[in-house]
Amino acid sequence: MGDEISIGIAIGKVILIGEHAVVHGQPALAMPFPATKVKTAIYRKEGSLTLDCFFYNGFFSEVPDRLLGLTTIIRDIVNSFDEKLEDFRIRIESTIPPERGMGSSAAVAVATIRALYDFFRQPLTKEDLFKWANISEKIVHGNPSGIDAATVIGEEPIYYIKGKSFIPFPFKLDAYLIVADTGELGKTQAAVNDVRKLIDLNPQKGRSLIEQLGFLTRNAKDAIESKDIVKLGQIMSKAHLILDKLGVSNDKLNHLVSVAMRNEALGAKLTGGGRGGCMIALAATKDEAIKLSNKLILNGAENTWISNMGVDGNEE
Ligand code: MEV
């Protein structure tokens, strides 16, 4: 393979509440998700640049559209160092399911930027990291709010308002978050575009739904601050209904959300861009989280992760 390995790591993210509304100026709450991560390794080698592969749990899943943002920033970063693209090889391995609303594209970009700066012995500032990650995200997602890159780079929960503030919101809750993958590719960009169309065509309805989501996010923040997990769960479920009205859910997401609610979840909703991708459910105890996770798998989830919201880090 060659030597001089530089490694860059980045972890995935989960949006607790406020997705889509955040694109339109409302707040959102997101947290890092260390159970999923990306590793980019760079090797010195003769020949042309090779984007070796993109692995998700051992499966090769190269999606050219998704890689366009990445290849663009790789080229531009290398050019900015006055280096040549020819003589290295990049290998990306990820346990973040791609295109499932878990921050895969942002994490791949961040891990790769970190590895590139290390490889070329360049000091990497947070500003550079944001700049390049957001360039890549714009190519992949059109006009993203920036919440994915901010959460992946910050590696702590945040309360985020597009273009305004990005407040670290570290919290510990005596609760468990279950993330379930529908197994269907999410369609963030199409969903974001359709929400915009809905707002353009029917501003009263569209804006009202976006504002209701913003209201729920502020309430969710209060519920977290007062450690009221029952209320938080109820707010999450309300947010799912509004996201469904916005047209960003789908049958499988709705199915898994109702499976979770029938099995004593405190609340459940889609997470991220929707139209596929992942859903989340809140459980009060580890036993309930494991039970819920099993039920979700039995009812069609492709994969699940359980995150302990009371301690740092996640467990599967
Ligand atoms: C994607 O993770 C979250 C969305 O709100 C899009 C964005 O914020 O850019 C759907």
Side-chain angles (χ1 to χ4, degrees), residues 45 47-51 71 74 85-90:
K45 112 180 215 306
S48 57
L49 165 74
T50 321
L51 255 188
T71 48
I74 290 171
L85 272 173
E86 281 91 57
D87 41 13
F88 61 90
R89 174 176 195 155
I90 297 178

Side-chain angles (χ1 to χ4, degrees), residues 13 15 18-20 22-23 101 143-148 188 192 272-273:
K13 71 97 203 355
I15 296 189
E19 51 276 273
H20 286 288
V22 70
V23 176
N143 187 18
S145 67
I147 191 170
D148 289 14
T188 301
V192 168

Side-chain angles (χ1 to χ4, degrees), residues 99-169:
E99 296 189 64
R100 305 292 213 286
M102 290 186 71
S104 170
S105 60
V108 166
V110 168
T112 305
I113 297 161
R114 286 179 172 148
L116 278 170
Y117 271 71
D118 183 70
F119 187 74
F120 289 109
R121 307 282 175 261
Q122 297 286 333
L124 177 60
T125 61
K126 270 227 164 134
E127 288 71 32
D128 286 331
L129 198 48
F130 271 105
K131 182 185 85 181
W132 293 118
N134 281 322
I135 291 173
S136 172
E137 285 290 274
K138 278 197 178 126
I139 295 169
V140 182
H141 293 306
N143 187 18
S145 67
I147 191 170
D148 289 14
T151 315
V152 166
I153 291 171
E155 294 189 359
E156 61 182 335
I158 54 170
Y159 184 76
Y160 183 90
I161 302 177
K162 181 184 177 183
K164 283 203 182 138
S165 64
F166 146 18
I167 304 167
F169 184 58

Side-chain angles (χ1 to χ4, degrees), residues 29-41:
L29 276 170
M31 48 192 267
F33 204 69
T36 59
K37 70 168 75 144
V38 176
K39 181 174 112 185
T40 297

Side-chain angles (χ1 to χ4, degrees), residues 215-292:
F215 175 75
L216 289 175
T217 299
R218 287 187 282 275
N219 281 354
K221 183 169 179 277
D222 292 345
I224 291 172
E225 277 164 348
S226 53
K227 308 229 180 273
D228 190 343
I229 57 170
V230 172
K231 189 160 172 208
L232 176 63
Q234 289 164 350
I235 295 168
M236 286 167 60
S237 295
K238 283 186 190 158
H240 181 75
L241 294 178
I242 297 177
L243 289 163
D244 195 21
K245 284 189 192 156
L246 262 185
V248 298
S249 190
N250 72 0
D251 289 348
K252 184 100 182 246
L253 284 164
N254 290 345
H255 168 64
L256 292 181
V257 165
S258 40
V259 168
M261 295 314 293
R262 279 202 307 273
N263 287 281
E264 288 158 44
L266 297 172
K269 62 183 279 294
L270 68 83
T271 182
R275 302 257 176 97
C278 291
M279 55 79 68
I280 53 177
L282 192 68
T285 66
K286 187 169 184 182
D287 282 352
E288 282 170 19
I290 293 169
K291 197 182 111 198
L292 260 170

Side-chain angles (χ1 to χ4, degrees), residues 290-309:
I290 293 169
K291 197 182 111 198
L292 260 170
S293 155
N294 292 338
K295 287 282 180 192
L296 288 164
I297 292 282
L298 269 175
N299 282 278
E302 189 179 273
N303 202 355
T304 59
W305 298 263
I306 296 174
S307 161
N308 180 346
M309 298 171 93

